[in-house]
Amino acid sequence: MPDLLLELFSEEIPARMQAKAADDLRRMVTDKLVAEGLVYEGAKAFSTPRRLALTVHGIPARQPDLKTERRGPKVGAPDAAVQGFLKATGLKSLDEAKIQRDPKGDFYIGLIEKPGRDAIDVLAEILPVIIRTFPWPKSMRWGARSGKPGSLNWVRPLHAITATFGLETEEPDVVKFEVDGIETGQTTYGHRFMAPDAISVRRFEDYEAKLLDAKVVLDPERRKDAILTDAKQLAFAQGFELVEDQNLLDEVAGLVEWPVVLMGSFEQEFLATPAEVIRATIRNNQKCFVVRDPKTGKLANKFILVANIEATDGGATIIAGNERVIRARLSDAKFFYETDLKTKLEERLPKFEQIVFHERIGTQAARVASNTASAGYLSAFVKADEQQSQRAARLSKADLLTEVVGEFPEVQGLMGRHYAERQGEDDAVASAIEDHYRPQGPKDSVPTNPVSIAVALADKLNMLVSFWIIGETPTGSKDPYALRRAALGVIRIILDSGARLPLRAVIPELIERIVKIEAVLSPAGNAIDVSATLGGQLLYSTHIGVNKRPEGDQELASMLREAKADFLPNFRASFSTRIANGLLDFFADRLKVQLREQGARHDLVDAVFTIGEQDDLWMIVRRIDALAGFLNSDDGKNLLAGYKRASNILGIEEKKDGRKYEEKPDPDLFLEPEERALAAAIEQATSRSTTAVRSENFNAAMGEISELRPVVDAFFEKVRVNDDDPKVRENRLKLLNEIRSATRAVADFSKIQD
């Protein structure tokens, strides 16, 4: 079957856009082909700085003919309906229609035949539409046509379109169309400097080979492999080791069509600057890699650059130019670093008073203050030193005000650790300043030091609580403050560290440290003003008064003081409960995502979360693991089936009777030995499983519940629930409810999917 070759040749495409653009081109073309009935065998897209290319092989030469039936009006319908049917189906008369019998009557059926078109004609129709509607994140217009309505928008000026279609054994045809005056053909161009002449191509294999001869490596993965291999070999030859950087490698591969790896150097004195600053400077400004001495593990005063040309002087001029720029950039970085060292972190904190973190939350100073208080409170839960935790939280954001972080934001936290170490802070404090941002993604490590854990939890939980208080919660795909990432960070820290954090109790305590709630007696003495403020911002104010004015101002003041004493705790509790409940639901949803990605069943999260006050995430996951193991056993599966049977019977009968059967069954009404055996087993299993849960031995709790399986089976086999005697029936329904209640000692089985 024929193959398609498509190339869109333009000026340089930004490296960050190339991978997605190639994927978009493949997706858009193949989706259109399938929609047109042209099911292909395979497709692959490529990108270089100057072109997007696509090959689709195994496309049918022609669309299949389509035959569809269209149902028309009833036999004997009005003439207007009949004429509309004939027009829609293209039939000349009703003699060409079939009659189909139906319980509602006889209907006309029209057969519509649509002959397929040649695939090349379909391509000529769909490709220009795809080019005109291509989803570049940023695009431009150019030339004389740019002022005309409907002119082409492309990421950079588009110069040529190559589009061929045909069998491997035959000369391919050009897919003829034009876009904004650019007509398709078989001509492309090689490397801008080393092989700029036009190249005539036929199909993909020919195209790729000729580009390679013209100094263009089409496949970005091949360019990456070449860069990485050559860089490692060059570093090794000089006695060094390449510091690999996948993101930089991806970017550099998008900057060159013919990668040539070279090595440059800079002055030894710059190595006095922290390695991270050197790396950020060289990486961000010149897109170069750094190397290290394998003996010491420290950076060497060398760097590796990737040129896009084989220079006649062996790259000496290119190296010298890069060295000149890097030397200037490193000089700036060294100056910033040395300037920063002159001011201690704590001395920078007053400036936070003038920096707003969020207009409805308050300043960075307020945020630091609440983080400091919260870190001290949380330190007890993670067995961290309270003073060190508070000290680290107080200094954790100070490096945001330094010159180096201002120039290279990606080293925030890391530079804070450097500066803390230089000013003599404790190692745990310095490490916590760096680690409190972690984890920043699913592949990032989590803090392990107790002080770091306390500060990281304080920072993330306080941010979540603050945004929940002001109602700025994630909606749909929108999460501008990365609150989902913060919640997942809290979950990962708790699960990895084994921290026992009762969130339902912890969140109100954090609110106390974030929100200031006050109650003030009004000057008139007849009302109480209760206000809540967050970071200096007034959230809201409410008033309570006295309905009946007693005799004497002293008595009124006394009553108001009592009202204030009763009202304020209730107000605080209600406020905190609302926030805590919302956040716990959010954590439950995030935990489901986390467990689902790990292959766990999300319905088990609901089964555990919905029983009681479940808020200890570490314990919940242990409980879920035990429940999953139990349900994979025969006892677990059969008990779940018995539970579902009991629950279904109860649901039907409770709905029919309009009542719940939640009372204890009467032992005197047990008529069958299976009833008595079930009641005794439930009492024993409930007691033992509850004891096991309290001691957090969840496997043992599941084992105790599994003891119910044989007696539940026997009950359903021997006992008729809906007995003729109403009292016996009621008692047996109450016994079924006992099965439901017994299983809640370990989980809510109603949430478990079959």
Side-chain angles (χ1 to χ4, degrees):
M1 284 191 281
D3 299 339
L4 167 69
L5 168 64
L6 175 66
E7 185 203 64
L8 304 169
F9 181 80
S10 69
E11 295 294 332
E12 275 71 6
I13 304 168
R16 67 183 184 279
M17 298 183 187
Q18 291 172 23
K20 185 177 184 304
D23 187 62
D24 285 340
L25 182 63
R26 178 194 57 77
R27 174 182 52 80
M28 294 174 76
V29 171
T30 55
D31 284 355
K32 282 286 189 182
L33 287 173
V34 172
E36 294 290 341
L38 297 170
V39 180
Y40 60 96
E41 292 179 0
K44 190 171 183 181
F46 305 88
S47 62
T48 80
R50 302 178 71 204
R51 72 201 76 222
L52 292 179
L54 173 70
T55 175
V56 185
H57 60 272
I59 302 174
R62 185 178 177 82
Q63 285 179 314
D65 295 337
L66 297 178
K67 294 182 179 181
T68 58
E69 289 186 345
R70 178 162 180 167
R71 179 167 166 166
K74 272 186 178 183
V75 174
D79 185 63
V82 171
Q83 292 303 319
F85 168 65
L86 293 175
K87 183 177 180 180
T89 56
L91 301 180
K92 296 179 181 178
S93 69
L94 290 177
D95 294 337
E96 296 180 2
K98 297 189 301 181
I99 296 178
Q100 186 180 74
R101 295 190 178 277
D102 188 273
K104 296 182 179 180
D106 295 341
F107 290 83
Y108 291 113
I109 300 295
L111 181 63
I112 304 174
E113 296 187 15
K114 183 181 179 182
R117 295 186 295 161
D118 290 338
I120 194 168
D121 294 332
V122 176
L123 288 167
E125 181 180 286
I126 66 175
L127 291 179
V129 174
I130 290 171
I131 293 170
R132 286 191 173 277
T133 59
F134 200 80
W136 291 109
K138 289 185 178 180
S139 58
M140 62 185 294
R141 294 180 295 174
W142 62 92
R145 293 176 176 269
S146 63
K148 298 179 180 179
S151 60
L152 176 66
N153 280 270
W154 201 248
V155 63
R156 294 292 185 270
L158 186 65
H159 293 314
I161 302 173
T162 299
T164 67
F165 182 73
L167 293 168
E168 185 178 352
T169 56
E170 298 177 359
E171 185 69 23
D173 295 319
V174 174
V175 183
K176 292 189 177 296
F177 62 89
E178 68 89 22
V179 178
D180 226 37
I182 305 170
E183 295 184 358
T184 55
Q186 294 178 257
T187 302
T188 187
Y189 301 87
H191 193 282
R192 181 186 288 275
F193 304 111
M194 293 189 290
D197 296 336
I199 304 168
S200 179
V201 297
R202 298 164 60 225
R203 56 182 53 85
F204 178 73
E205 291 75 12
D206 170 61
Y207 165 76
E208 186 177 33
K210 286 184 175 178
L211 279 183
L212 192 62
D213 290 340
K215 306 297 185 182
V216 175
V217 179
L218 179 65
D219 190 344
E221 294 303 319
R222 187 174 173 183
R223 295 199 300 275
K224 291 178 193 178
D225 290 343
I227 293 168
L228 186 59
T229 300
D230 290 352
K232 284 182 175 180
Q233 290 178 350
L234 181 57
F236 180 77
Q238 299 292 324
F240 302 114
E241 182 179 68
L242 177 71
V243 178
E244 295 188 36
D245 187 331
Q246 185 61 50
N247 291 334
L248 179 58
L249 179 62
D250 293 342
E251 184 175 8
V252 170
L255 296 174
V256 297
E257 290 191 319
W258 188 256
V260 177
V261 176
L262 304 168
M263 179 178 281
S265 63
F266 54 87
E267 284 72 14
Q268 186 81 20
E269 65 185 67
F270 290 123
L271 293 178
T273 308
E276 295 80 8
V277 178
I278 295 173
R279 184 177 178 183
T281 301
I282 293 176
R283 181 192 195 281
N284 293 4
N285 292 303
Q286 288 304 103
K287 311 303 178 188
C288 295
F289 298 86
V290 294
V291 298
R292 60 181 163 232
D293 186 338
K295 297 177 183 177
T296 64
K298 296 182 178 180
L299 289 189
N301 62 325
K302 302 284 184 179
F303 64 90
I304 287 178
L305 63 98
V306 182
N308 190 34
I309 189 172
E310 292 177 348
T312 55
D313 63 355
T317 303
I318 297 173
I319 293 172
N322 277 270
E323 286 178 340
R324 185 167 58 253
V325 175
I326 284 176
R327 187 179 299 113
R329 295 293 188 179
L330 287 177
S331 180
D332 289 343
K334 183 172 181 288
F335 173 77
F336 292 151
Y337 177 63
E338 291 174 348
T339 301
D340 287 340
L341 289 176
K342 296 176 183 177
T343 306
K344 290 189 174 183
L345 293 175
E346 195 160 14
E347 294 173 3
R348 300 179 183 276
L349 296 179
K351 191 174 180 180
F352 277 145
E353 296 284 355
Q354 284 77 48
I355 299 175
V356 175
F357 170 63
H358 186 283
E359 61 180 1
R360 295 181 60 205
I361 292 177
T363 63
Q364 275 282 22
R367 185 186 181 201
V368 168
S370 62
N371 281 0
T372 302
S374 296
Y377 166 69
L378 293 171
S379 63
F381 292 95
V382 297
K383 298 180 174 58
D385 182 273
E386 182 178 0
Q387 290 186 344
Q388 288 182 345
S389 299
Q390 290 181 322
R391 179 66 176 173
R394 178 169 171 75
L395 300 179
S396 62
K397 307 296 181 184
D399 68 338
L400 297 176
L401 300 172
T402 62
E403 299 287 345
V404 169
V405 174
E407 184 73 14
F408 307 109
E410 66 270 25
V411 297
Q412 65 182 24
L414 190 146
M415 291 310 301
R417 175 174 65 81
H418 275 296
Y419 295 137
E421 289 173 345
R422 290 293 298 266
Q423 70 184 40
E425 297 290 342
D426 189 277
D427 288 345
V429 172
S431 296
I433 293 173
E434 178 183 6
D435 291 343
H436 84 282
Y437 289 107
R438 293 177 177 164
Q440 297 192 55
K443 296 181 180 179
D444 194 15
S445 61
V446 299
T448 55
N449 182 280
V451 174
S452 299
I453 292 172
V455 180
L457 287 174
D459 185 53
K460 291 170 175 59
L461 284 171
N462 274 3
M463 187 164 69
L464 288 163
V465 169
S466 296
F467 281 102
W468 245 255
I469 287 172
I470 65 172
E472 291 278 358
T473 58
T475 55
S477 61
K478 295 182 179 179
D479 186 12
Y481 304 108
L483 300 181
R484 291 189 181 96
R485 186 176 70 184
L488 283 171
V490 170
I491 290 170
R492 284 190 60 198
I493 291 170
I494 289 175
L495 298 186
D496 283 24
S497 67
R500 307 302 305 275
L501 211 62
L503 292 173
R504 200 175 296 277
V506 164
I507 291 172
E509 288 292 336
L510 297 181
I511 292 173
E512 286 287 325
R513 290 158 176 78
I514 297 173
V515 181
K516 186 176 182 181
I517 302 174
E518 295 181 332
V520 180
L521 196 66
S522 69
N526 58 4
I528 296 175
D529 177 17
V530 181
S531 61
T533 56
L534 175 62
Q537 306 295 312
L538 182 66
L539 293 174
Y540 51 77
S541 176
T542 187
H543 300 272
I544 59 169
V546 179
N547 294 327
K548 182 180 179 182
R549 182 181 177 90
E551 293 296 328
D553 290 342
Q554 292 299 322
E555 190 174 351
L556 171 62
S558 176
M559 176 180 282
L560 288 172
R561 279 192 293 272
E562 290 176 5
K564 174 182 173 181
D566 293 337
F567 181 81
L568 193 55
N570 292 336
F571 180 85
R572 290 178 186 274
S574 174
F575 181 86
S576 298
T577 299
R578 176 171 57 84
I579 302 302
N581 288 341
L583 271 173
L584 283 171
D585 290 342
F586 187 64
F587 276 117
D589 290 340
R590 294 300 94 202
L591 184 59
K592 289 178 194 176
V593 172
Q594 177 88 352
L595 294 176
R596 187 164 55 244
E597 290 176 351
Q598 295 173 358
R601 290 171 50 177
H602 65 88
D603 58 325
L604 302 189
V605 179
D606 286 331
V608 172
F609 254 97
T610 52
I611 56 170
E613 302 289 306
Q614 300 300 316
D615 62 354
D616 186 332
L617 300 181
W618 185 79
M619 187 178 73
I620 286 170
V621 172
R622 284 189 55 208
R623 197 168 192 156
I624 290 169
D625 290 341
L627 181 58
F630 173 60
L631 292 175
N632 284 331
S633 68
D634 289 339
D635 283 344
K637 293 173 184 176
N638 289 325
L639 182 60
L640 177 61
Y643 169 89
K644 296 286 186 182
R645 185 175 177 183
S647 185
N648 290 338
I649 294 172
L650 266 174
I652 293 170
E653 299 305 316
E654 287 177 341
K655 184 177 181 181
K656 183 171 68 177
D657 299 343
R659 57 162 294 191
K660 298 286 186 183
Y661 291 97
E662 296 177 343
E663 302 87 351
K664 288 286 184 182
D666 184 354
D668 293 336
L669 292 176
F670 291 152
L671 303 182
E672 305 292 341
E674 288 79 12
E675 291 178 272
R676 288 187 286 274
L678 178 57
I682 287 174
E683 183 177 359
Q684 187 177 61
T686 301
S687 174
R688 290 180 177 178
S689 63
T690 301
T691 301
V693 167
R694 285 181 185 143
S695 62
E696 299 182 1
N697 189 344
F698 301 115
N699 288 320
M702 302 295 169
E704 296 296 341
I705 289 296
S706 70
E707 297 293 329
L708 291 176
R709 177 212 166 168
V711 289
V712 169
D713 292 345
F715 175 84
F716 282 119
E717 185 177 343
K718 299 289 187 180
V719 178
R720 185 163 68 93
V721 175
N722 286 318
D723 194 82
D724 295 334
D725 186 336
K727 291 185 178 179
V728 174
R729 171 183 175 274
E730 178 181 344
N731 204 56
R732 287 175 179 172
L733 290 172
K734 291 177 181 177
L735 186 56
L736 290 187
N737 186 67
E738 290 290 289
I739 298 175
R740 190 162 59 181
S741 300
T743 57
R744 286 187 66 86
V746 294
D748 183 353
F749 275 40
S750 69
K751 302 292 184 181
I752 300 174
Q753 299 174 4
D754 295 333

